[in-house]
Amino acid sequence: MNLESTQSNETEQVLVVGAGPVGLWVAAELALAGVPTLVVERAVERSPHSKAMGVHPRTVEVLAMRGVEKEFLAEGGRVPTWHFGMLDNRLDLRELDTPYPFLLSIPQLRTEQLFERRALDLGVRILRGHGVTGLTQDDSAVTVELDGPDGPYALTARYVVGADGAGSTVRKAAGVDFPGSDATTFGYVGEVVLDDPPVPPVISAHNTDGALITVPLGGGRFRIAGLDSVRQGRDDGFTFEDLRATTTRVAGSDFGMRDPGWLSRFGNTTRIAATYRKGRVLLAGDAAHMHFPAGGVGLNVGVQDAMNLGWKLAAQVQGRAAPGLLDSYHDERHPVGLELAEHTLAQTALIGAATPEQRELRKLVNDLVGSVPQLNRALADKLSGLDVAYPGTHPLVGKRFPAAAEHLHRGRPVLLTDLEEAADLAARLGFETAGGPGAVVVRPDGHVWWAADEADTEADVLAGLTALGTTF
Ligand SMILES: Cc1cc2nc3c(=O)[nH]c(=O)nc-3n(C[C@H](O)[C@H](O)[C@H](O)COP(=O)(O)OP(=O)(O)OC[C@H]3O[C@@H](n4cnc5c(N)ncnc54)[C@H](O)[C@@H]3O)c2cc1C
């Protein structure tokens, strides 16, 4: 990378801050739409530790919409059940209404590598070792201050996406409030070899001393993640002996653990950005929502933020967007972030249940998850991201439409119709077109944008398509 070319006085179209999974995916989406995009990343090298281990069904659908799911599916293990709040009774993913009814087990490190390769292939420029330290904005541009290998410098960009994680400098510098609650509980994660692993290898254990789950990583290595009630309120580091002690107290054995790798602690601070858009600054992923990693959903929700934002911001930058399109990013994704905050708090309460009252509540919820299929399904839909539907006047509008995935690879909307004139108009607007009864327009992020009823005439359909107001 020639630094001079990126540190010129030219205004960048979009500057993405942070080369985590969310920054990389939004940058790839922008580049797919033809927007020159620069990513700046403070870390010189990517962390070798994978926080997330799971890609949920809706995220696999997102990958399929861009035609890149096969490599993930080839590498990842398919897990047919998942947990809610580390309950013993697991959520059954097998009957979910999706082509991908499983959790795909793939480390975050690998997800990021694959996202980065896609972004680079699409022409995104990535600068590592360049950290944002501040920004100011006016009506026409954002001026971003950075610290790079050669010292401080500034860049201007028409728009900035803050995908710089929970401690987001972009969010703070843009003056976006981050209301919520401080940590009251600290969980842990440790990766070790287990010489005497549990049978089956994935277990949930819970008693008054805490809760934990075990997840095999391959080659005899396991991840143990949980919450140690004895150490509540303490965030004072986490050693191999701490992991051995809490595992023994909660699961009754240390499973012959040895060779510790990554050991870390994390709190349940739960906050959500008051707005996902402040002028020319957009927030996505952990920069917009911070929560306890219960249920393993943060990366997934972040990638879905990026999918919602990418095509809208591209249309805005290229002057093709209908009024209000970019603002709809906040309107649609902020409620999803709020719900994420709510269910991770609820899960944290179940995981940390220690008093007799809390333990009875946990037992009750566990029994219900095991005996009421509708409840099991609703929670599975929630964690897998399949229950996200944006508001709309027609019953189909805002819903997912996975059947359109194969037509969305170029990141353009698709009109599925048997009406010839409507197909002609859609093609002139830059939409993909494909056959189908009636008329349904699916947005580039796979949610229905517009739909006609049987009673609608071709003239109604033509008017509806024109009213969408955004071209491609
Ligand atoms: C123990 C644990 C387990 C988890 N398990 C799961 C799971 O199974 N499934 C799941 O979906 N989620 C899981 N998560 C959450 C998931 O890891 C995060 O939600 C995800 O990493 C968010 O991605 P992001 O790109 O928004 O932010 P990050 O991954 O935090 O990336 C932000 C990037 O921005 C860079 N950056 C920060 N500040 C600056 C700056 N000023 N300038 C430039 N660059 C900057 C950082 O170096 C980083 O590379 C887990 C989290 C933890 C802690």
Side-chain angles (χ1 to χ4, degrees):
M1 168 62 63
N2 176 357
L3 287 189
E4 281 175 18
S5 70
T6 58
Q7 293 181 20
S8 72
N9 292 327
E10 279 175 33
T11 299
E12 295 290 340
Q13 293 297 301
V14 179
L15 179 71
V16 176
V17 183
V22 176
L24 291 169
W25 190 261
V26 80
E29 282 294 289
L30 289 159
L32 179 66
V35 177
T37 302
L38 173 65
V39 178
V40 288
E41 164 58 54
R42 186 167 56 195
V44 176
E45 286 180 9
R46 175 173 289 123
S47 164
H49 304 304
S50 284
K51 292 182 286 184
M53 292 301 300
V55 171
H56 287 264
R58 182 56 179 164
T59 309
V60 187
E61 287 184 356
V62 163
L63 301 175
M65 283 177 228
R66 296 298 178 259
V68 299
E69 80 286 12
K70 289 191 180 63
E71 197 162 6
F72 287 82
L73 291 170
E75 289 193 21
R78 300 177 188 205
V79 185
T81 63
W82 192 233
H83 76 92
F84 185 83
M86 293 189 188
L87 296 174
D88 298 334
N89 286 326
R90 291 173 68 88
L91 305 179
D92 187 354
L93 309 179
R94 289 169 299 186
E95 299 300 320
L96 293 179
D97 179 22
T98 169
Y100 314 102
F102 45 79
L103 177 106
L104 193 66
S105 163
I106 187 164
Q108 182 164 340
L109 174 64
R110 190 64 188 133
T111 298
E112 290 183 17
Q113 286 169 343
L114 292 172
F115 282 9
E116 178 166 308
R117 197 181 68 204
R118 173 170 171 79
L120 291 172
D121 286 351
L122 288 165
V124 171
R125 294 157 293 145
I126 301 175
L127 284 179
R128 289 192 172 273
H130 293 245
V132 167
T133 54
L135 63 79
T136 53
Q137 60 171 315
D138 60 26
D139 289 348
S140 59
V142 189
T143 303
V144 181
E145 293 147 34
L146 296 105
D147 216 351
D150 299 327
Y153 67 101
L155 282 175
T156 55
R158 291 182 61 204
Y159 287 89
V160 167
V161 178
D164 49 344
S168 177
T169 304
V170 171
R171 186 187 65 233
K172 291 173 198 157
V176 175
D177 286 344
F178 201 38
S181 50
D182 288 332
T184 53
T185 276
F186 294 89
Y188 64 83
V189 59
E191 292 181 359
V192 284
V193 172
L194 297 183
D195 284 333
D196 185 16
V199 181
V202 179
I203 61 156
S204 301
H206 184 265
N207 63 22
T208 48
D209 286 340
L212 63 79
I213 52 171
T214 60
V215 181
L217 301 175
R221 291 194 77 76
F222 279 72
R223 169 177 286 197
I224 303 177
L227 197 151
D228 180 356
S229 304
V230 176
R231 293 178 47 131
Q232 273 328 297
R234 287 168 53 192
D235 183 20
D236 53 357
F238 194 69
T239 66
F240 178 52
E241 280 315 316
D242 292 330
L243 180 67
R244 189 199 298 279
T246 186
T247 306
T248 305
R249 278 200 306 270
V250 174
S253 166
D254 75 352
F255 303 118
M257 68 174 65
R258 64 178 166 84
D259 288 354
W262 186 41
L263 292 164
S264 183
R265 265 169 95 65
F266 44 84
N268 71 329
T269 304
T270 303
R271 296 184 175 278
I272 179 160
T275 179
Y276 282 22
R277 178 184 182 189
K278 181 94 179 264
R280 293 177 169 271
V281 175
L282 291 306
L283 299 172
D286 281 12
H289 35 74
M290 181 178 187
H291 55 88
F292 200 65
V297 277
L299 181 152
N300 288 270
V301 174
V303 170
Q304 290 152 32
D305 289 345
M307 193 70 170
N308 187 293
L309 175 60
W311 66 278
K312 295 175 181 175
L313 182 54
Q316 177 81 12
V317 170
Q318 294 173 335
R320 308 181 275 104
L325 183 72
L326 188 55
D327 285 328
S328 73
Y329 169 60
H330 167 88
D331 298 341
E332 292 183 344
R333 296 305 297 176
H334 188 262
V336 177
L338 276 177
E339 199 175 298
L340 169 70
E342 287 163 6
H343 79 67
T344 49
L345 281 171
Q347 288 190 72
T348 311
L350 292 170
I351 296 169
T355 66
E357 295 85 353
Q358 291 164 345
R359 287 171 60 75
E360 283 310 316
L361 181 62
R362 179 184 162 98
K363 184 169 168 298
L364 181 72
V365 177
N366 185 56
D367 288 346
L368 292 173
V369 167
S371 61
V372 182
Q374 297 93 327
L375 174 63
N376 192 298
R377 174 69 182 264
L379 292 175
D381 275 337
K382 186 176 293 301
L383 287 202
S384 57
L386 298 176
D387 73 346
V388 173
Y390 305 128
T393 44
H394 187 280
L396 273 182
V397 169
K399 303 258 170 42
R400 311 161 30 247
F401 205 88
E406 64 177 301
H407 304 294
L408 296 173
H409 291 187
R410 294 201 302 162
R412 295 162 189 261
V414 58
L415 171 69
L416 302 157
T417 190
D418 56 4
L419 303 174
E420 230 170 75
E421 269 191 59
D424 288 348
L425 174 61
R428 286 203 298 281
L429 295 172
F431 296 11
E432 305 284 338
T433 56
V440 174
V441 178
V442 182
R443 312 185 327 186
D445 60 2
H447 288 260
V448 175
W449 202 356
W450 183 86
D453 283 321
E454 274 173 25
D456 286 326
T457 63
E458 179 136 301
D460 294 328
V461 173
L462 295 177
L465 290 182
T466 312
L468 292 176
T470 302
T471 55
F472 290 83

